Amino acid sequence: MSEITQSFTEHEQVPLREYAEKAYLDYSMYVVLDRALPHIGDGLKPVQRRIIYAMSELGLSATSKHKKSARTVGDVLGKFHPHGDSACYEAMVLMAQPFSYRYPLIDGQGNFGSPDDPKSFAAMRYTESRMSPYAKTLLTELAMGTVEWAPNFDGTLKEPELLPARLPNILLNGSAGIAVGMATNIPPHNLREVVTACLRLLEEPKATVSDLCEHIKAPDFPTDAEIITSPEELLKMYETGYGSVKMRAVWEEENGDIVVTALPHQVSPAKVLEQIAQQMQAKKLPMVEDLRDESDHENPTRLVIVPRSNRVDVEQLLNHLFATTDLEHNYRVNLNIIGNNGKPQLLDLRSLLKQWLKFRLDTVTRRLEYRLDQVVDRLHILTGLLIAFLNIDEVIHIIRTEDKPKPVLMSHFEITGTQAEAVLDLKLRNLARLEETKIRAEQEELEEERKKIEITLGSKQRLKTLVKNELTADAEKYGDARRSRLTSREAARALKEEDLIPSEPCTIVLSKSGWVRAAKGHEIDATTLNYKAGDEYQHAARGRSNQQTVFLDSSGRAYALTAHTLPSARSLGEPLTSRFTLPEGGYFQYVIAGDAQQKLVLASSFGYGFVTETGNLHSRMKAGKAMLSLPGDSSPVEPAVISSATADTVVCVTSDGYLLAFPLEMLPALSKGKGNKLINIPPKRLKSGEEHMVGLAVISESDEVLVWAGQRYMRIGKKDLEHFRGERAKRGHKLPRGFQRVTRIEVAED
């Protein structure tokens, strides 16, 4: 027991909180640095770097034969990347997809997925691959002492910590990844544009992001779709390293059909068709008759949308589709990378290019220094060989007679051990007379190269010029024209529900029991329709099938439904209580139809009211919207629609036959509330219920009003109305005998 206790005490004890914190931080840093974020130098994540290096070790250059992908994946996993084969192969496939990478690093043969489903690639035992010509820019200088090497996971091999990229691959192909607490979304760019910006920054180190954006105007995705983000937003994105880019599909009209020829980056044609089809099935796209996918090898993207007729506004339809489907797509941009100092950082465009150029200048410096060392070493050896050739007989004699010729050669000819080894390694065939000439020629050539390298290394300007020339040559060799064209477009807006519904005249009928239905046309006499037993006509309004219908209840709350959703007038309709929740004791009184901009006057029986727009009454709430505040125990009167732009007079009438006409401009415009007093009714008569405002009408100069008292009515025209004119909130004048018990007022129809 004591031995067990002793073994435990020998171990370090750490609080669980500290251990968990350290373990999670270690894991986080591993994910950030060794998995999710690319390095600014070569623009690659570790798995991508290892795949490219393993392929170079297998000799899978752009000019070699394709080899099974499984061979490459096996080498990557066995030698450098001890993780899952499926994740490794997926990373490899991504680098081979021309619709995913702007400049693919791998040339794939076989099924490497499609834009419809990028992950539909065949298993690695079926596909073959080799590196693309562009991948050469990452590997050309690998064996030239340009990068640091590190042991692989089991210490048996060495692998490069970075690849000596000749081009800023970080911007050319972009990258995406999610780490712990940070993410990266770097869009691809055009090679020629990026190189031009690099040259500008080399020539003008103080160039601003705005200056660089003269060359790099926007990302360049591997698709022909348009980038519609404004230049101001793009500039802000490059200045902050954070923002978004919006892409829109390219289309053309062909014999009345809409043909989509290019989709935004990483958007699936099948998904777009599915999104449009779902709207068609939900009857939200009545103007589209048919959809077809006519994509083939000659036309990789060809989606055909067939409008229902030539009267359909194609621009408006596409605007709706851009707003509601992936025909327009937004891409987040987050220039988060591992910088030259080995730490993750969010960079603006200038800082990113500046850091990459420093990486490139350092790489070229290391390459030149490595080559200079090789040249100096070779010149040293050539000097020794030349001494040997000038004294060849003595050299042969020493080699034949001495047991240990190396030290003798070193002391006799005053040469170094390296030179002596080179002399001893000479083959007999190299002792020919012409060999001396070859040595002197090689010496002269190497001396000239050494001077050039030393001059270049000694001058920052010459070093920059060398980098410029190499960038220009690579841009000429691998560059191409921009694919994602830049266009200025207005923001897409989805059509409102009423715009998507056929606009047909209809009459909405409300019964006293709160049942509702819609009849086609405006010629319907709602009072003659059949009603269920114990029910009868309450109110009706004329509107259109694509407009919102508003119902006003006895408490002044408003409820809205689209007219086309109401049951047909051939039936008895349906109760509004199945769609809305009324306040206790409440009931539906009036129905209002018309577009959202239609103006009307809402008023209470106590004679208070205001002007508002029908749109203010629209509500999606099941419990409706508080609209008209009712003083005392008053109730709403029938809303008066302002049907004409010339309507300028409000006519109010009370149950006791008092009538007042005043200018409409005296009435306030409110979105909701109680309003102002329209007509003066003595408070005692209001409280006792002896008198109240029966209704009101809004008329123009040419209109007449009908004032009803039971079955009798009185027509009041312009001349007669002058007697009743006054200021708002006055008592008005009494109507003639026989109209002491007024029941309603309405505008006379022509």
Side-chain angles (χ1 to χ4, degrees), residues 112-367:
F112 274 81
S114 67
D116 259 345
D117 186 2
K119 295 193 176 183
S120 62
F121 48 84
M124 58 185 171
R125 61 181 178 275
Y126 299 121
T127 61
E128 297 179 340
S129 55
R130 65 183 180 189
M131 285 188 289
S132 67
Y134 171 80
K136 193 177 179 183
T137 62
L138 297 170
L139 298 162
T140 308
E141 301 170 0
L142 188 60
M144 299 181 183
T146 50
V147 295
E148 297 294 332
W149 295 74
N152 69 338
F153 63 89
D154 61 2
T156 57
L157 295 167
K158 294 276 188 181
E159 62 174 318
E161 292 183 358
L162 288 174
L163 296 181
R166 291 170 62 92
L167 291 166
N169 186 59
I170 186 76
L171 278 179
L172 302 185
N173 276 319
S175 188
I178 299 173
V180 178
M182 63 180 70
T184 184
N185 291 94
I186 305 171
H189 290 76
N190 184 269
L191 194 155
R192 288 177 180 165
E193 293 179 1
V194 172
V195 166
T196 311
C198 288
L199 298 180
R200 173 81 177 266
L201 199 54
L202 282 169
E203 291 168 4
E204 303 173 28
K206 292 185 178 179
T208 63
V209 174
S210 181
D211 295 333
L212 298 175
C213 283
E214 292 174 15
H215 310 286
I216 303 176
K217 291 182 170 63
D220 186 23
F221 296 92
T223 173
D224 296 326
E226 301 173 337
I227 292 176
I228 62 169
T229 307
S230 68
E232 295 77 23
E233 287 181 78
L234 290 169
L235 176 60
K236 186 179 178 183
M237 176 190 83
Y238 284 125
E239 285 176 338
T240 60
Y242 188 83
S244 63
V245 177
K246 193 167 284 184
M247 289 194 83
R248 184 177 286 185
V250 174
W251 62 278
E252 57 189 36
E253 270 196 272
E254 192 177 288
N255 300 324
D257 295 343
I258 301 164
V259 180
V260 178
T261 55
L263 291 171
H265 180 49
Q266 292 179 332
V267 167
S268 160
K271 187 180 179 185
V272 169
L273 289 175
E274 183 185 341
Q275 288 171 334
I276 299 173
Q278 282 176 351
Q279 291 192 47
M280 290 172 68
Q281 287 170 4
K283 296 183 179 178
K284 291 183 178 178
L285 273 181
M287 61 282 284
V288 175
E289 185 175 3
D290 193 20
L291 284 176
R292 294 195 302 273
D293 186 355
E294 296 182 356
S295 306
D296 53 30
H297 289 293
E298 291 182 9
N299 304 290
T301 302
R302 184 179 167 83
L303 307 182
V304 182
I305 303 168
V306 183
R308 192 166 291 280
S309 72
N310 57 9
R311 294 191 303 276
V312 171
D313 187 334
V314 172
E315 293 278 352
Q316 191 183 47
L317 168 60
L318 277 163
N319 236 355
H320 172 75
L321 292 177
F322 288 141
T324 58
T325 71
D326 283 344
L327 285 174
E328 183 174 298
H329 200 71
N330 209 41
Y331 298 89
R332 285 178 56 206
V333 174
N334 187 5
L335 305 182
N336 203 2
I337 56 169
I338 298 172
N340 285 330
N341 60 2
K343 295 177 181 178
Q345 49 203 272
L346 183 68
L347 299 177
D348 59 76
L349 180 64
R350 182 179 179 277
S351 302
L352 192 151
L353 288 179
K354 210 155 184 66
Q355 280 208 34
W356 184 83
L357 285 171
K358 185 181 184 307
F359 166 81
R360 182 63 193 152
L361 286 165
D362 290 346
T363 303
V364 171
T365 301
R366 292 183 66 163
R367 186 188 79 200

Side-chain angles (χ1 to χ4, degrees), residues 524-735:
I524 305 297
D525 183 357
T527 59
T528 62
L529 293 175
N530 289 327
Y531 294 88
K532 67 186 184 74
D535 199 4
E536 60 182 312
Y537 168 79
Q538 169 70 21
H539 197 234
R542 292 170 181 170
R544 304 197 74 83
S545 57
N546 65 336
Q547 293 175 339
Q548 292 279 309
T549 302
V550 177
F551 303 93
L552 195 66
D553 74 4
S554 55
S555 66
R557 297 185 74 82
Y559 310 78
L561 285 175
T562 310
H564 82 100
T565 64
L566 299 174
S568 168
R570 294 194 188 102
S571 67
L572 295 174
E574 67 174 74
L576 280 172
T577 49
S578 65
R579 303 206 190 188
F580 302 119
T581 305
L582 276 170
E584 190 175 348
Y587 57 90
F588 293 101
Q589 265 190 284
Y590 303 108
V591 57
I592 304 161
D595 60 42
Q597 289 73 42
Q598 172 183 265
K599 292 187 182 296
L600 68 156
V601 178
L602 292 182
S604 66
S605 59
F606 272 28
Y608 289 84
F610 58 91
V611 177
T612 192
E613 289 187 351
T614 305
N616 291 328
L617 282 78
H618 294 172
S619 168
R620 293 180 179 273
M621 304 293 289
K622 196 172 180 181
K625 174 183 182 182
M627 194 66 206
L628 179 64
S629 300
L630 299 172
D633 58 352
S634 63
S635 61
V637 299
E638 183 176 350
V641 174
I642 304 172
S643 56
S644 164
T646 58
D648 59 358
T649 302
V650 178
V651 182
C652 307
V653 65
T654 72
S655 56
D656 277 11
Y658 284 90
L659 189 143
L660 173 68
F662 62 86
L664 177 63
E665 62 187 25
M666 289 186 172
L667 209 52
L670 304 173
S671 58
K672 63 177 182 178
K674 174 183 173 183
N676 289 5
K677 185 178 283 190
L678 308 179
I679 188 167
N680 186 23
I681 303 172
K684 287 184 179 180
R685 295 186 65 78
L686 274 178
K687 287 179 182 177
S688 63
E690 293 178 47
E691 187 180 359
H692 62 275
M693 189 174 82
V694 171
L696 72 156
V698 183
I699 61 172
S700 61
E701 190 176 346
S702 59
D703 288 332
E704 295 180 325
V705 292
L706 302 180
V707 180
W708 292 79
Q711 298 300 314
R712 300 174 59 202
Y713 70 86
M714 177 182 180
R715 184 181 291 266
I716 302 175
K718 177 186 174 184
K719 188 182 290 186
D720 300 323
L721 200 62
E722 291 301 319
H723 173 67
F724 298 97
R725 287 190 181 275
E727 293 184 1
R728 179 184 61 78
K730 296 297 182 181
R731 180 66 167 150
H733 292 279
K734 203 166 179 66
L735 289 165

Side-chain angles (χ1 to χ4, degrees), residues 44 47-57 76 95 105-106 131 135 138-139 163:
L44 300 176
V47 65
Q48 296 169 328
R49 189 177 301 121
R50 287 163 176 166
I51 289 168
I52 296 299
Y53 177 62
M55 291 184 85
S56 72
E57 289 293 285
V76 174
M95 292 190 286
L105 297 172
I106 293 174
M131 285 188 289
L138 297 170
L139 298 162
L163 296 181

